[in-house]
C-alpha cells in the first residue's frame, strides 16, 4: 500500500516536470517529531480541561448555507451546524437524527416522527421547518447546485418545480402536525432515509432567512439546530464553532470548540500538524511524506476507507470533447495504475467505473479494454484520435482545469506527462483556480476538461450514478444518454429486487463507459494525521462523516 519516495522516483520513468513537482512538495519530513508510541501515554478516559479541536478543512467554504453548496468541505461544516431527519453513526450507518422513528408501508409514503429539539435561538424544531427547507432546496429562485437531489429521491413534484413548471407548494412534503412529517414519493425508494443524512436536506430557519436574506449565515445572524454554532468566521483564516447549548443532545457533547482551517496545501497542513497547530489534518497526505510519516508517527497516520472517486470531467458539449472518440482516446491511454500507485500511492486503486466497488450493492463493471496491455490501449487511442482528425501535424490541444491543491496539481502534471509520453501529439495547458472560482467555472461550463471528485452522499450506487443523469444539477459536463437515464429510472420501479437493481446499475456503468462521459482515475482512501489525544475520530465510516459531537480531547 505504501511506497517511499526513493522507489517512487526510480521504479517508473516520469518526465522531469512531474518529478520536480513531486520533489517540491516533499521536503518537510525532517520536522516530524512524533513517535510511533505517541499514544502510549494517553488515557482516553481522562479528559483535558480544555476541549478544543483544530482541524484542517482543506479550503475556504463557498458558503455556510446548505442549499448553496455542493462540496465536501462545506458538508464537513454543515454536519456540525445542522442536523437532519437522519444521521450516521461512527460506522457510517443511518441512525435517528431529528426524527426518532420513521415508517413506510410501500417505500413511497414516508412518515417521520420528530423529537423535541430546539434551534439555537430557542425556537422549537418542527415538521414545518423541514417542509420549508425542502421547498427552498428545489425552488429555482434558490439556484441550489443540489436542486435535483429531491428529484433523484423521487419526491412528488420535485422535477416540475426544478424545471420552473410548478409552484413549490406542490412538493410532496407536508407537516401532519408539529412533530410529524410526511414525504410522498412517486416511486418506491427503499433507501430514502439514508438519503436524508445529506447536507442539502438539513433544515434551515425560515424566520432568520426572511429577516436577513443572504446575510443569514453571518455569525451574528445564523440560527442552527446542530451541536455547534458559528462564533467567528474570518475569511481565509479560520471558522470557529462553539457548543450550541440548545442542541437536544448537548448533555452528551464534550468538545467545546472546533476551529476549522482552510489550508489547501497538504504540505503546509502536515507542517502545521507537526508544529502542534493542527490536531487533525485534511484527508490528504503529500505522497513523498507518506512513508516517513507512517514510520515516524505510527498510529497517528490513519488510512480509512472512503467512498469517493477521482475523475476528470469532460465538457461533452464543447470541442474537442463533444467527440466521444477523443474522450475515449484519453481514457484508454491514461495509465491509472501509475497515478494511483506511484503519484498518490497511499492505498488508492485504479478506477474503471464511477461507483467504488466497496459501495453497498456490489456493482462491478470491468470494461474489456481495461484488460488490454498498454501497447494495445495506446494503439487504439491513436487510431481514435486519427479518426477524429488529430495527428502529429494537428495535435490535440486542450485546457485542464483543477482547483488549488498539491495532490490535484501532481495528478494533473502526471496525466499531462503520461498522455504526452503515450500519444505524442497532445498539448495540455494546466489551469489552476481557487475553490470558489473553480466551482463557478465548472458550473458555468467554461472549461474543456476539469478535475473532479465525487463522494457518496449516502452509501448506495445511485449516490454516484445519479450525477451522470442528464437532468442532474451536478452534471456540469452535460453528459446525456437516454438509455443511461432509462436504466437509472428502472432501478426505482415497483417490484425491482436488490439483485435486479444491481444489474441495472452495472448496465448503467457499462453505458457510461461506452460513451466515456467521465474519465475515472482512482478510488480514494482517506489518509489523515490525528493527534493521539483526539478521542472518537472514527476510521470506520466509509462516508468520512466525522462529527465533533462524538469527539473529545484526552489529557496530554
Amino acid at each position: 500500500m505504501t511506497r517511499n519516495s526513493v522507489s517512487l522516483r526510480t521504479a517508473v520513468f516520469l518526465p522531469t516536470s512531474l518529478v520536480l513537482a513531486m520533489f517540491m512538495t516533499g521536503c518537510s519530513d525532517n520536522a516530524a517529531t512524533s513517535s510511533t508510541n505517541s499514544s502510549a501515554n494517553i488515557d482516553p478516559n481522562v479528559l483535558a480541561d480544555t476541549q478544543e479541536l483544530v482541524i484542517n478543512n482543506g479550503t475556504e467554504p463557498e458558503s455556510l448555507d446548505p442549499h448553496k453548496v455542493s462540496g465536501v468541505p462545506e458538508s464537513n461544516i454543515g454536519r456540525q451546524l445542522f442536523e437532519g431527519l437522519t444521521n450516521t453513526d461512527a460506522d457510517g450507518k443511518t441512525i435517528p437524527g431529528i426524527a426518532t422513528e420513521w415508517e413506510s408501508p410501500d417505500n413511497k409514503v414516508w412518515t417521520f416522527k420528530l423529537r423535541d429539539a430546539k434551534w439555537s435561538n430557542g425556537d422549537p424544531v418542527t415538521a414545518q421547518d423541514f417542509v420549508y427547507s425542502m421547498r427552498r432546496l428545489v425552488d429555482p429562485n434558490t439556484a441550489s447546485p443540489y436542486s435535483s437531489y429531491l428529484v433523484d429521491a423521487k419526491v412528488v413534484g420535485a422535477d416540475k418545480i426544478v424545471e420552473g413548471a410548478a409552484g413549490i407548494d406542490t412538493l410532496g412534503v407536508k407537516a401532519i402536525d408539529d412533530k410529524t412529517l410526511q414525504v410522498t414519493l412517486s416511486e418506491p425508494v427503499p433507501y430514502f432515509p439514508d438519503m436524508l443524512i445529506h447536507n442539502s436536506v438539513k433544515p434551515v430557519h425560515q424566520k432568520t432567512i426572511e429577516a436577513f436574506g443572504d446575510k443569514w449565515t453571518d455569525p451574528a445572524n445564523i440560527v442552527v439546530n446542530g451541536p455547534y454554532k458559528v462564533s467567528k468566521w474570518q475569511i481565509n483564516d479560520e471558522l470557529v464553532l462553539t457548543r450550541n447549548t440548545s442542541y437536544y443532545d448537548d448533555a452528551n457533547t464534550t468538545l467545546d470548540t472546533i476551529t476549522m482551517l482552510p489550508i489547501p496545501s497538504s504540505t503546509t497542513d502536515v507542517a502545521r500538524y507537526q508544529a502542534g497547530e493542527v490536531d487533525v489534518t485534511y484527508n490528504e497526505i503529500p505522497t513523498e511524506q507518506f512513508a516517513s510519516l507512517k514510520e515516524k508517527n505510527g498510529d497517528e497516520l490513519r488510512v480509512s476507507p472512503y467512498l469517493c472517486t477521482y475523475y476528470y470531467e469532460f465538457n461533452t458539449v464543447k470541442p474537442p470533447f463533444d467527440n466521444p472518440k477523443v474522450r475515449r482516446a484519453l481514457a484508454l491511454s491514461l495509465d491509472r495504475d501509475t497515478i494511483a500507485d506511484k503519484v498518490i500511492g497511499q492505498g488508492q486503486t485504479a478506477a474503471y467505473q464511477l461507483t467504488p466497488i466497496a459501495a453497498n450493492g456490489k456493482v462491478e463493471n470491468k470494461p474489456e479494454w481495461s484488460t488490454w496491455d498498454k501497447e494495445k490501449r495506446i494503439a487504439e487511442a491513436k487510431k481514435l484520435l486519427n479518426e477524429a482528425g488529430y495527428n502529429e501535424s494537428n495535435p490535440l490541444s486542450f485546457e485542464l482545469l483543477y482547483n488549488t491543491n498539491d495532490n490535484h496539481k501532481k495528478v494533473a502534471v502526471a496525466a499531462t506527462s503520461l498522455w504526452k509520453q503515450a500519444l505524442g501529439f497532445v498539448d495540455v495547458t494546466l489551469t489552476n483556480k481557487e475553490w470558489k472560482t473553480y466551482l463557478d467555472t465548472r458550473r458555468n461550463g467554461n472549461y474543456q476538461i476539469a478535475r473532479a471528485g465525487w463522494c457518496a452522499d449516502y452509501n448506495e450506487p445511485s449516490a454516484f450514478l445519479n450525477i451522470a443523469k442528464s437532468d442532474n444539477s451536478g452534471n456540469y459536463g452535460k453528459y446525456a444518454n437516454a438509455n443511461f437515464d432509462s436504466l437509472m429510472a428502472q432501478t426505482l420501479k415497483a417490484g425491482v429486487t436488490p439483485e435486479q437493481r444491481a444489474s441495472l446499475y452495472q448496465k448503467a456503468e457499462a453505458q457510461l463507459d461506452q460513451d466515456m462521459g467521465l474519465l475515472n482515475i482512482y478510488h480514494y482512501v482517506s489518509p489523515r494525521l490525528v493527534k493521539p489525544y483526539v478521542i472518537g475520530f472514527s476510521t470506520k465510516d466509509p462516508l468520512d462523516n466525522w462529527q465533533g459531537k462524538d469527539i473529545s480531547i484526552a489529557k496530554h
Side-chain angles (χ1 to χ4, degrees):
M1 185 173 70
T2 61
R3 186 180 297 276
N4 64 39
S5 58
V6 174
S7 63
L8 174 65
R9 291 168 189 152
T10 56
V12 61
F13 167 78
L14 292 172
T16 304
S17 57
L18 173 56
V19 173
L20 180 61
M22 296 165 69
F23 176 77
M24 290 173 65
T25 59
C27 56
S28 62
D29 285 2
N30 292 336
T33 56
S34 300
S35 73
T36 55
N37 296 318
S38 55
S39 62
N41 298 322
I42 300 295
D43 183 345
N45 297 309
V46 180
L47 299 184
D49 292 336
T50 301
Q51 290 295 312
E52 179 178 353
L53 177 77
V54 180
I55 184 169
N56 179 27
N57 199 36
T59 191
E60 181 65 24
E62 184 179 22
S63 170
L64 302 187
D65 186 333
H67 295 156
K68 300 284 191 180
V69 298
S70 60
V72 170
E74 289 80 6
S75 290
N76 289 338
I77 298 169
R79 209 160 42 245
Q80 320 310 320
L81 300 180
F82 303 98
E83 183 148 327
L85 292 166
T86 58
N87 207 335
T88 52
D89 64 12
D91 293 332
K93 293 185 173 61
T94 301
I95 59 173
I98 295 299
T100 56
E101 57 183 294
W102 50 88
E103 63 178 10
S104 175
D106 54 2
N107 289 334
K108 291 179 69 174
V109 179
W110 290 88
T111 303
F112 297 86
K113 292 290 186 182
L114 277 55
R115 70 174 75 243
D116 290 330
K118 292 182 179 178
W119 293 94
S120 54
N121 69 346
D123 287 352
V125 177
T126 68
Q128 185 59 39
D129 289 324
F130 286 92
V131 173
Y132 168 76
S133 301
M134 291 187 184
R135 287 176 174 174
R136 183 173 183 261
L137 173 62
V138 296
D139 188 343
N141 293 319
T142 305
S144 172
Y146 254 82
S147 62
S148 65
Y149 194 70
L150 294 184
V151 178
D152 294 335
K154 300 296 180 183
V155 177
V156 165
D159 51 350
K160 296 297 183 187
I161 299 170
V162 170
E163 293 171 5
I168 59 173
D169 57 348
T170 62
L171 188 68
V173 53
K174 65 179 179 181
I176 303 298
D177 55 43
D178 282 352
K179 298 299 178 186
T180 309
L181 180 78
Q182 188 173 84
V183 184
T184 302
L185 313 182
S186 60
E187 304 285 351
V189 182
Y191 49 83
F192 183 62
D194 300 326
M195 295 186 74
L196 298 177
I197 68 172
H198 190 254
N199 197 40
S200 65
V201 284
K202 302 283 178 67
V204 290
H205 191 255
Q206 181 174 359
K207 288 191 294 185
T208 300
I209 293 172
E210 290 175 348
F212 298 104
D214 290 340
K215 299 290 185 183
W216 81 271
T217 57
D218 286 358
N221 304 330
I222 191 168
V223 171
V224 301
N225 77 326
Y228 295 90
K229 56 186 180 181
V230 182
S231 57
K232 179 183 178 184
W233 186 10
Q234 192 157 337
I235 302 296
N236 293 321
D237 185 17
E238 63 179 10
L239 177 73
V240 181
L241 312 180
T242 53
R243 287 265 290 276
N244 171 18
T245 55
S246 296
Y247 179 56
Y248 72 85
D249 201 27
D250 182 60
N252 292 314
T253 303
T254 303
L255 204 59
D256 290 322
T257 305
I258 304 173
T259 300
M260 306 182 79
L261 305 178
I263 307 169
S265 164
S266 54
T267 303
T268 303
D269 189 15
V270 168
R272 293 187 66 173
Y273 177 90
Q274 292 169 326
E277 297 174 1
V278 171
D279 298 316
V280 180
T281 66
Y282 198 57
N283 59 354
E284 291 182 341
I285 298 294
T287 302
E288 298 76 18
Q289 294 177 269
F290 186 77
S292 60
L293 288 171
K294 186 175 180 61
E295 179 182 359
K296 295 175 182 176
N297 291 66
D299 55 12
E300 290 181 40
L301 180 56
R302 305 179 184 180
V303 180
S304 309
Y306 196 20
L307 291 179
C308 295
T309 301
Y310 192 104
Y311 58 93
Y312 281 160
E313 178 182 73
F314 296 114
N315 188 333
T316 64
V317 296
K318 278 190 173 182
F321 300 117
D322 56 343
N323 187 334
K325 291 183 178 180
V326 179
R327 303 197 297 263
R328 193 166 193 80
L330 290 189
L332 264 61
S333 58
L334 183 62
D335 185 347
R336 294 161 176 74
D337 290 322
T338 290
I339 291 176
D341 297 340
K342 299 182 175 61
V343 177
I344 303 298
Q346 297 162 12
Q348 295 84 356
T349 56
Y352 295 93
Q353 64 182 52
L354 179 59
T355 308
I357 296 170
N360 287 342
K362 299 186 184 304
V363 173
E364 185 168 4
N365 174 62
K366 190 172 185 178
E368 181 190 0
W369 64 266
S370 71
T371 65
W372 296 354
D373 60 28
K374 180 178 178 181
E375 289 70 26
K376 185 174 181 178
R377 290 190 201 181
I378 292 174
E380 177 66 13
K382 286 184 175 178
K383 172 177 168 288
L384 291 168
L385 286 179
N386 291 161
E387 291 174 357
Y390 299 102
N391 47 49
E392 295 291 351
S393 59
N394 183 33
L396 173 66
S397 301
F398 60 88
E399 183 180 68
L400 170 58
L401 170 69
Y402 68 96
N403 57 296
T404 303
N405 176 281
D406 293 343
N407 284 350
H408 298 335
K409 180 179 181 180
K410 279 188 282 191
V411 173
V413 171
T416 300
S417 300
L418 291 166
W419 277 322
K420 190 73 174 178
Q421 181 184 346
L423 300 171
F425 48 90
V426 174
D427 294 324
V428 186
T429 301
L430 300 183
T431 300
N432 165 226
K433 296 187 177 182
E434 56 84 23
W435 179 241
K436 293 182 188 178
T437 307
Y438 153 86
L439 288 173
D440 285 342
T441 303
R442 283 183 63 203
R443 288 169 184 162
N444 293 327
N446 295 325
Y447 69 96
Q448 292 179 300
I449 183 170
R451 194 292 305 181
W454 193 261
C455 299
D457 296 333
Y458 51 97
N459 192 347
E460 217 273 343
S462 60
F464 290 88
L465 291 167
N466 279 341
I467 64 166
K469 289 161 55 177
S470 58
D471 63 352
N472 190 281
S473 55
N475 182 1
Y476 304 139
K478 304 299 181 187
Y479 167 73
N481 182 290
N483 185 53
F484 180 90
D485 291 346
S486 173
L487 288 166
M488 291 303 295
Q490 291 174 53
T491 64
L492 293 175
K493 292 298 182 186
V496 172
T497 66
E499 293 76 17
Q500 290 170 328
R501 184 172 294 114
S503 176
L504 289 164
Y505 287 144
Q506 187 276 329
K507 291 176 181 175
E509 285 280 1
Q511 183 67 66
L512 190 56
D513 176 77
Q514 180 178 321
D515 300 333
M516 208 57 76
L518 307 170
L519 199 173
N520 301 307
I521 300 178
Y522 65 80
H523 297 305
Y524 281 71
V525 291
S526 178
R528 291 183 189 271
L529 285 164
V530 181
K531 293 290 186 183
Y533 50 76
V534 177
I535 308 302
F537 198 96
S538 177
T539 58
K540 297 179 180 178
D541 177 9
L543 300 170
D544 201 31
N545 284 344
W546 66 269
Q547 308 204 41
K549 68 183 180 66
D550 298 331
I551 294 172
S552 59
I553 303 298
K555 187 176 182 180
H556 57 280

